[in-house]
Amino acid sequence: TEQGLARYAYEYMDAALIVDEMKGAQTMLSQASYTPAYYLAFHSIELSLKAYLLKRGVTLKQLTKTYGHDLQRLYDEAKNEHLLSDFKEDRRDVDALHLLIDLNADNQLRYLQTGYKTFPLFSIVEPFGVRLHQAISKSVGMRTFSQHYVDYTY
């Protein structure tokens, strides 16, 4: 159900915040975070979008077969389904989305691959994931985060 997806989206984002807070503070990672925090946030965003689309009439089969784990396609379809009437998109949200997509190319957030990687600032990933969940939670009727990001949209 859309409530189940939204619940998991909440839990994954909550876990990402915990990892970032607990581990980021203990290391030299002042602006980036641990790789698992990015994976958890990525998965939360995916589940939030799927919850929204399910609520808007997209079937589970379509979510699986047509969209899979393609974050860009999910986001584009959610926008086609009027996501932006609930979610006030900021250019940093788009930046975070594209950087996460690039970072996870070939499942690099799940499986170690050698080479240079560009990690987005967690300070743009966090608000994107939290604010997206806050927006979709209204339409699916689930609890969400209480965080507020001052002057985030313009």
Side-chain angles (χ1 to χ4, degrees):
T1 66
E2 61 265 17
Q3 290 89 3
L5 289 172
R7 176 182 157 228
Y8 273 35
Y10 176 88
E11 290 175 1
Y12 273 89
M13 193 64 215
D14 193 41
L17 298 174
I18 291 167
V19 169
D20 178 62
E21 183 179 329
M22 298 296 290
K23 290 304 199 180
Q26 296 174 4
T27 68
M28 296 174 60
L29 301 173
S30 61
Q31 296 184 14
S33 190
Y34 266 28
T35 302
Y38 289 100
Y39 173 76
L40 293 165
F42 181 97
H43 196 56
S44 172
I45 292 164
E46 177 186 338
L47 293 172
S48 289
L49 293 169
K50 287 181 174 180
Y52 182 81
L53 291 172
L54 196 60
K55 178 67 175 179
R56 303 295 274 178
V58 175
T59 66
L60 279 174
K61 185 175 183 177
Q62 288 173 303
L63 288 176
T64 304
K65 299 289 184 189
T66 305
Y67 301 101
H69 303 290
D70 189 333
L71 211 54
Q72 186 65 61
R73 288 186 73 188
L74 287 163
Y75 191 69
D76 290 345
E77 184 59 25
K79 285 176 26 176
N80 288 339
E81 291 292 335
H82 310 289
L83 174 68
L84 297 184
S85 62
D86 295 319
F87 178 67
K88 305 305 176 212
E89 181 184 80
D90 181 276
R91 69 171 170 76
R92 291 168 286 192
D93 300 325
V94 176
D95 291 345
L97 176 73
H98 292 146
L99 288 165
L100 283 171
I101 290 168
D102 290 346
L103 186 59
N104 196 48
D106 301 319
N107 288 310
Q108 292 183 67
L109 287 173
R110 292 178 61 196
Y111 305 110
L112 179 63
Q113 294 183 15
T114 59
Y116 180 77
K117 294 172 183 57
T118 301
F119 285 80
L121 299 175
F122 204 75
S123 62
I124 66 169
V125 172
E126 175 186 331
F128 176 47
V130 169
R131 291 175 46 256
L132 179 65
H133 191 273
Q134 289 170 330
I136 67 100
S137 69
K138 292 176 189 173
S139 65
V140 301
M142 287 298 293
R143 73 180 173 129
T144 191
F145 299 93
S146 60
Q147 283 97 319
H148 177 72
Y149 298 92
V150 178
D151 297 328
Y152 194 77
T153 58
Y154 29 77

